[in-house]
Amino acid sequence: MSIQEAAERIAGQGESAPRAARDAVNQAMVNNWVEAIGDRNPVYVDEEFAAKSVHKGLVAPPAMAQVWTMGGLHWTRASDDPLGAMMEVLDEAGFTSVVATNSEQNYHRYLRTGEHVSATAKLESVVGPKRTALGEGWFVTTKTTWYVGDEAVADMVFRVLKFRPPDAAPAKAAAPVLRPVISKDTEFFWAGLREGELRIQRWGETLRHPPGPMPPDGDLGAKPDHVVACGRGTVYSYVVHHHPKVPGKDLPFVVALVELEEGVRVMGELLDADPETVHIGLGVEAAFVKIDEELTLPAWRVAR
Amino acid sequence: MKDCPVGTELPPLTIEATPTFVVSTALATRDFQDVHHDRDAALQRGSKDIFLNILTDTGLVQRFVTDWAGPEAFVRSIKIRLGVPCYAYDTLTFTGRVTERDGDDVVIAVSGVDSLGEHVVGTVALTLGGE
């Protein structure tokens, strides 16, 4: 069924069943409303003033017409709600975003405390597809009528634009990378990456990577520090990963073991490299891939 | 009766759309959509912050016009078109002028502008009362 056909079917169903407001028009809700909006018109709150006015007694603000029948916190649409039905049709057609564009309310008379309103809604028109600043979309117009008993007291024409956002590039998920286990022995290395430094553990004259708890000679009393690598090196070995999928990576990608000028070897992804042209001995430079505030991964780029 | 020929300007109304204002008006209009009270949810949905809801715009337009017309007026209709959002911490300024007059019946053109541009534009029809 086309969007137009679905619209005709929904419009053909006419007015939805009347839905009663949760509460009768009441002073408590009026008081909250005028306080929040900042409306100091005395005909809503000052009984004595209102009685002497043209309204001959307290009235509810006409702009509250829609408020009485709002759904509340745990609201779900009624099954015969025409706007809900039309939204579903357009969602399925890929017009997934919505923005209200027009509200036109007519007040046939002011409401008073104790009156209980109910509302019906019907689909007036569905117009589209239209090119808009927000993207291609359809204007969906519904009409709501509020009744007290059989008397129509207010109505509203409400229009929304249901649109497909222009090819917003799907946001690359930042989170789903494989996260390293960071220990007391390796903390300095990851802290360095966050600051754009490639830090190599040093035990006296000896550099060691990956960092560990002891120097290569096993001296239990030794304490390490670190040097900051200059970041230049050559590819010592590499693999081109085709399969299986790796979270956060587009396949294929290259992982290179790089021999640094300092003499140690460090592993990382070789970014933006054509797997065909990668070779042992290729000159590379350190790169830093920020995943989030906590994690930056070491990587390589082909040296210029 | 107000002396207000076509062209009469209404005194402007400035609203500081503090987070408290955005949230309290959303709740007073019984609109519990998260984008009007939950900043994290608003950001997740691509908004800069929580923003004013439509029922509040209708209420503000009514207040702006009746502040000027006085308590004896009857509001007959409020027709608004929405433009840019009004996010928390923005300032909304309403201006308006009389565009039609037929005896006691007048039509006011209203515009509400914030730092992003025209947030709401519309017309209000009302019947002026005696004074």
Side-chain angles (χ1 to χ4, degrees), chain A residues 22 29 32-33 36-44 49 53-55 61-63 66-68 70-73 100-107 110 158, chain B residues 15 21 24-25 28-32 37 53-60 62-63 66-67 70-83 129:
Chain A
R22 185 184 65 179
M29 272 174 68
N32 276 337
W33 189 93
I37 298 285
D39 194 327
R40 294 192 179 80
N41 191 335
V43 299
Y44 310 135
F49 183 99
S53 76
V54 66
H55 301 283
Q66 193 183 357
V67 175
W68 305 111
M70 284 294 280
L73 183 55
T101 63
N102 298 75
S103 162
E104 301 184 351
Q105 300 189 348
N106 293 299
Y107 314 111
Y110 283 29
F158 190 67
Chain B
I15 300 285
F21 185 80
S24 60
T25 51
T29 54
R30 297 191 72 225
D31 183 346
F32 295 91
H37 63 258
N53 75 336
I54 300 159
L55 285 80
T56 297
D57 286 320
T58 304
L60 288 174
Q62 177 195 273
R63 172 189 158 187
T66 55
D67 278 0
E72 299 285 326
F74 274 95
V75 177
R76 304 297 183 189
S77 71
I78 300 176
K79 301 180 180 182
I80 57 172
R81 194 174 77 231
L82 298 165

Side-chain angles (χ1 to χ4, degrees), chain A residues 285-300:
Chain A
E285 294 170 339
F288 303 89
V289 178
K290 183 174 176 176
I291 303 297
D292 53 35
E293 291 308 315
E294 296 295 307
L295 178 62
T296 297
L297 294 175
W300 310 105

Side-chain angles (χ1 to χ4, degrees), chain A residues 218-290:
Chain A
D219 179 358
L220 291 177
K223 290 269 184 254
D225 59 0
H226 68 259
V227 295
V228 176
C230 71
R232 288 185 300 275
T234 55
V235 171
Y236 182 79
S237 175
Y238 70 98
V239 294
V240 180
H241 184 101
H242 292 275
H243 186 81
K245 284 182 181 166
V246 177
K249 298 278 177 221
D250 294 325
L251 301 179
F253 63 93
V254 179
V255 178
L257 181 63
V258 168
E259 183 154 294
L260 291 176
E261 286 186 4
E262 286 82 4
V264 294
R265 294 171 197 153
V266 180
M267 188 118 82
E269 182 181 359
L270 181 52
L271 304 169
D272 307 321
D274 175 5
E276 299 292 324
T277 64
V278 177
H279 56 271
I280 288 166
L282 178 68
V284 298
E285 294 170 339
F288 303 89
V289 178
K290 183 174 176 176

